[in-house]
């Protein structure tokens, strides 16, 4: 499908009516999507209707389908859940129910429908679209509408947006609500870590994900969990021994806590459930560790949406209206998805079928295929977690005699420490010696450089600021001393983490290569700035955390004023 950006100034919704509904489980950010559909629809001069209580409201009609104004969606951007309600609807699964829903829509002239929900809700919408002309003919035969209405409202346009905290829909990098759910999980993990460290405890956290392990996997990656269980990638035979060995090794390295994350749908390679209680009993029986289970439950669905979910849902809502306006009788139902950092339209049923194929692959034990079908984001996250969580024995590591120095430059940004941890562990896995530079290029010039090991960066993922220290000082006035330190420590590559100062610093090193051969080595910049103002990347490390801090403080100020 065409992914080129659209200019909607010449598009008009005059004479058109758009219905918007939320269906299935609620997800943070749904209200932002509803708001965007309403305001974009009104902007292009279309009529926009709320369909309350999902498909049930569409079947029941009456006050459940109401025309709305610009002001109707004021102050809902930051509200969790869905203000227009969501309900399971058995009657819509029957032709009689869909017939009544079609009648209720035709009475209001609604032939454009925006559905926000999961794959089941979107599949139902596509069936409704396919049956639409037949439903109208049946209504005409029964005398409920005339032939003119059949011709006037001859086809139904459907656009879907996926609202699901599980991120279980194929074709999109992120679904609405996933980022907020991850925030809830990480907040709990951060809180648990303090008590776990105090008492040297092991915590087993059960998170949502009956059929998809995205939340478990990414939260494990974000907090540096010792072990994770997900349905798409069951542990190998003998996992019990492997896990206990790893937990014991971590304790032997003076690590005072262990975190194990279990998706509620986790299974072993024989498709048998792995429960949080089973994991806890195993740790207690084999290792004797003080172990507790925490089940997060519906707290993952609750609360206000993150900044990312508000932005994602808003952009998707605008794109959904554009897709409806451009729809023709031959246009297949589409779903608005996120690809990279772009809102794109994909064929709805192709994505639904691929999503169903994942479950089929898991049921048949084709787990490698299941991971591939989940998409590049899921597969990359899984590979990254495996790479960063388990160190290979020294005897299995290659030896490259290649020394890499890592340093932070410029203002601190949340996520810098996670980046250093990842760089160090990947470098060690590749057989390199990794060196940490303290206090940026100023520290580098003073010889504040040391070799850093795998265990040295344990627990860094959740810590803010810069553990290595960072300064805005550029290298220009220290070039000779920095070159001397690179020669002394035999540094063969530089990784510089920071914002504009990092870019400028690397440019200065590049320009000095004609005078100092020590700088004729690979130099890599990893953008890290809360301002998100550097070229070459859509997002820089720290920007998302800063946005969330702004949003949280804004909400605090609003509440304070109300009190």
């Amino acid at each position: 499908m065409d992914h080129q950006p659209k200019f909607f100034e010449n598009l008009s919704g005059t004479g058109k009516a758009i219905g918007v509904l939320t269906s299935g489980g609620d997800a943070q950010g749904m209200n932002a999507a509803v708001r965007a559909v309403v305001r974009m629809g009104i902007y292009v001069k279309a009529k926009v209707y709320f369909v309350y209580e999902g498909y049930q409201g569409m079947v029941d009609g009456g006050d459940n389908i109401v025309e709305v104004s610009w002001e109707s969606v004021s102050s809902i951007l930051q509200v969790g859940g869905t203000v227009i309600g969501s309900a399971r609807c058995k009657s819509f699964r029957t032709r009689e129910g869909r017939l009544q829903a079609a009648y209720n829509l035709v009475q209001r002239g609604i032939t454009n429908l925006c559905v926000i929900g999961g794959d089941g809700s979107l599949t139902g919408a596509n069936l409704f679209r396919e049956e639409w002309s037949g439903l109208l003919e049946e209504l005409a035969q029964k005398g409920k509408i005339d032939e003119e209405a059949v011709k006037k409202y001859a086809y139904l346009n459907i656009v879907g947006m996926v609202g699901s905290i599980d991120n279980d829909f194929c074709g999109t990098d992120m679904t609405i609500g996933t980022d907020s759910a991850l925030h809830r999980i990480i907040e709990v993990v951060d809180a648990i870590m303090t008590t776990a460290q105090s008492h040297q405890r092991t915590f087993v956290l059960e998170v949502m994900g009956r059929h998809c392990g995205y939340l478990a996997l990414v939260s494990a990656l974000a907090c540096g969990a010792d072990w994770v269980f997900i349905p798409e990638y069951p542990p190998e035979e003998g996992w019990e021994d492997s896990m206990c060995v790893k937990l014991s090794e971590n304790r032997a390295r003076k690590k005072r806590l262990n975190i194990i994350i279990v998706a509620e749908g986790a299974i072993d390679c024989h498709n048998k459930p792995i429960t949080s209680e089973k994991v806890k009993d195993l740790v207690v029986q084999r290792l004797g560790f003080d172990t507790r289970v925490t089940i997060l439950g519906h707290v993952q669905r609750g609360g206000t949406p993150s900044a990312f979910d508000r932005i994602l849902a808003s952009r998707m809502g605008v794109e959904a209206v554009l897709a409806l306006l451009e729809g023709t009788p031959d246009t297949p139902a589409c779903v608005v998805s996120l690809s990279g950092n772009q809102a794109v339209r994909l064929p709805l049923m192709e994505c639904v079928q691929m999503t169903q194929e994942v479950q089929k692959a898991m049921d048949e034990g084709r787990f490698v295929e299941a991971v591939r079908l989940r998409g590049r984001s899921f597969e990359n996250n899984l590979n990254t977690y495996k790479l960063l969580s388990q160190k290979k024995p020294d005897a299995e590591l290659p030896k490259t005699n290649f020394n890499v120095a890592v340093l932070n430059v410029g203002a601190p940004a949340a996520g810098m420490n996670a980046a250093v941890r990842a760089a160090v562990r990947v470098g060690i896995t590749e057989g390199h010696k990794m060196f940490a530079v303290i206090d940026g290029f100023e520290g580098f010039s003073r010889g504040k450089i040391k070799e850093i090991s795998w265990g040295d960066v344990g627990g860094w993922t959740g810590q803010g600021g810069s553990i290595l220290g960072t300064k805005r000082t550029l290298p220009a006035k220290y070039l000779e001393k920095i070159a001397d330190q690179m020669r002394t420590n035999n540094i063969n590559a530089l990784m510089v983490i920071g914002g504009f100062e990092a870019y400028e610093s690397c440019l200065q090193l590049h320009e000095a290569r004609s005078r100092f051969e020590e700088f004729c080595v690979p130099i890599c910049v990893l953008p890290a700035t809360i301002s998100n103002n550097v070229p070459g990347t859509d997002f820089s490390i720290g920007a998302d955390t800063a946005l969330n801090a702004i949003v949280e403080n804004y909400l605090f100020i609003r509440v304070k004023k109300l009190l």
Side-chain angles (χ1 to χ4, degrees), residues 183-184 187 304 310 545 547-557:
H183 275 263
R184 301 293 170 271
E187 285 169 1
T304 59
R310 300 179 200 202
T545 304
L547 275 175
N548 280 300
I550 293 168
V551 167
E552 288 167 8
N553 278 283
Y554 169 73
L555 287 174
F556 174 76
I557 291 168

Side-chain angles (χ1 to χ4, degrees), residues 55 115-127 158-162 169 335 348-349 352:
Y55 289 119
V115 180
I116 308 166
D119 64 325
S121 302
L122 300 183
T123 301
N126 186 68
L127 176 62
I158 295 287
V159 173
M161 286 183 277
V162 187
F169 192 82
V335 60
L348 172 60
M349 290 315 296
V352 169

Side-chain angles (χ1 to χ4, degrees), residues 14-254:
T14 303
K16 296 185 177 182
I18 299 171
V20 57
L21 65 94
T22 54
S23 179
D26 64 302
Q28 307 97 318
M30 278 185 165
N31 289 325
V34 169
R35 173 180 177 270
V37 170
V38 169
R39 292 197 166 177
M40 185 61 189
I42 292 172
Y43 178 79
V44 296
K45 303 188 184 323
K47 289 184 177 181
V48 185
Y49 290 81
F50 277 168
V51 180
Y52 287 100
E53 308 305 336
Y55 289 119
Q56 189 65 56
M58 194 189 302
V59 172
D60 294 342
D63 292 339
N64 289 300
I65 307 176
V66 179
E67 186 177 356
V68 292
S69 66
W70 186 277
E71 291 75 20
S72 299
V73 290
S74 295
S75 301
I76 70 168
L77 186 66
Q78 72 278 9
V79 179
T82 166
V83 297
I84 58 176
S86 177
R88 308 289 180 186
C89 182
K90 291 182 179 179
S91 55
F92 191 76
R93 297 177 183 176
T94 67
R95 184 173 175 83
E96 292 75 14
R98 294 191 292 275
L99 186 68
Q100 184 60 41
Y103 174 74
N104 291 329
L105 293 185
V106 168
Q107 289 298 99
R108 295 161 179 81
I110 300 172
T111 56
N112 298 279
L113 207 56
C114 181
V115 180
I116 308 166
D119 64 325
S121 302
L122 300 183
T123 301
N126 186 68
L127 176 62
F128 191 42
R129 172 186 169 278
E130 290 175 345
E131 292 182 344
W132 181 259
S133 59
L135 292 171
L136 264 57
E137 289 174 3
E138 187 174 338
L139 288 170
Q141 290 171 3
K142 292 182 176 181
K144 290 191 172 184
I145 62 173
D146 55 30
E147 289 298 328
E148 185 180 344
V150 174
K151 293 178 182 179
K152 185 177 181 180
Y153 307 118
Y155 66 94
L156 178 70
N157 284 324
I158 295 287
V159 173
M161 286 183 277
V162 187
S164 168
I165 69 167
D166 292 325
N167 203 31
D168 55 355
F169 192 82
C170 293
T172 184
D173 291 342
M174 287 285 274
T175 57
I176 296 169
T178 302
D179 187 70
S180 299
L182 284 172
H183 275 263
R184 301 293 170 271
I185 296 169
I186 296 305
E187 285 169 1
V188 172
V189 171
D190 288 345
I192 280 175
M193 278 186 168
T194 55
T195 183
Q197 285 177 331
S198 299
H199 299 278
Q200 296 192 64
R201 283 182 177 144
T202 296
F203 269 87
V204 182
L205 271 72
E206 182 179 305
V207 302
M208 283 187 169
R210 190 170 302 148
H211 304 292
C212 178
Y214 185 89
L215 287 179
L217 173 61
V218 178
S219 58
L221 179 60
C223 72
D226 297 279
W227 205 271
V228 63
F229 295 94
I230 59 174
E232 295 90 344
Y233 191 77
E236 298 176 354
E237 290 275 13
W239 63 267
E240 298 91 343
D241 295 332
S242 301
M243 184 183 73
C244 289
V245 167
K246 183 179 180 184
L247 297 180
S248 297
E249 289 175 348
N250 286 343
R251 286 295 175 93
R253 288 197 292 264
K254 307 300 181 183

Side-chain angles (χ1 to χ4, degrees), residues 285-306:
Q285 291 167 9
R286 293 205 182 184
L287 301 176
F289 291 173
D290 185 3
T291 306
R292 306 296 168 89
V293 171
T294 298
I295 300 175
L296 271 64
H298 282 76
V299 70
Q300 294 158 92
R301 289 191 188 276
T304 59
S306 66

Side-chain angles (χ1 to χ4, degrees), residues 347-391:
L348 172 60
M349 290 315 296
E350 285 185 18
C351 295
V352 169
Q353 289 163 7
M354 193 180 300
T355 302
Q356 293 169 347
E357 281 296 316
V358 178
Q359 187 60 50
K360 184 179 178 182
M362 288 192 289
D363 292 341
E364 296 174 355
R366 294 182 287 114
F367 297 111
V368 173
E369 179 71 2
V371 169
R372 186 190 65 79
L373 288 170
R374 277 286 180 225
R376 62 183 182 185
S377 176
F378 189 94
E379 193 169 9
N380 288 342
N381 284 324
L382 178 59
N383 290 334
T384 302
Y385 175 77
K386 291 192 292 184
L387 188 65
L388 300 181
S389 63
Q390 184 71 52
K391 183 188 177 185

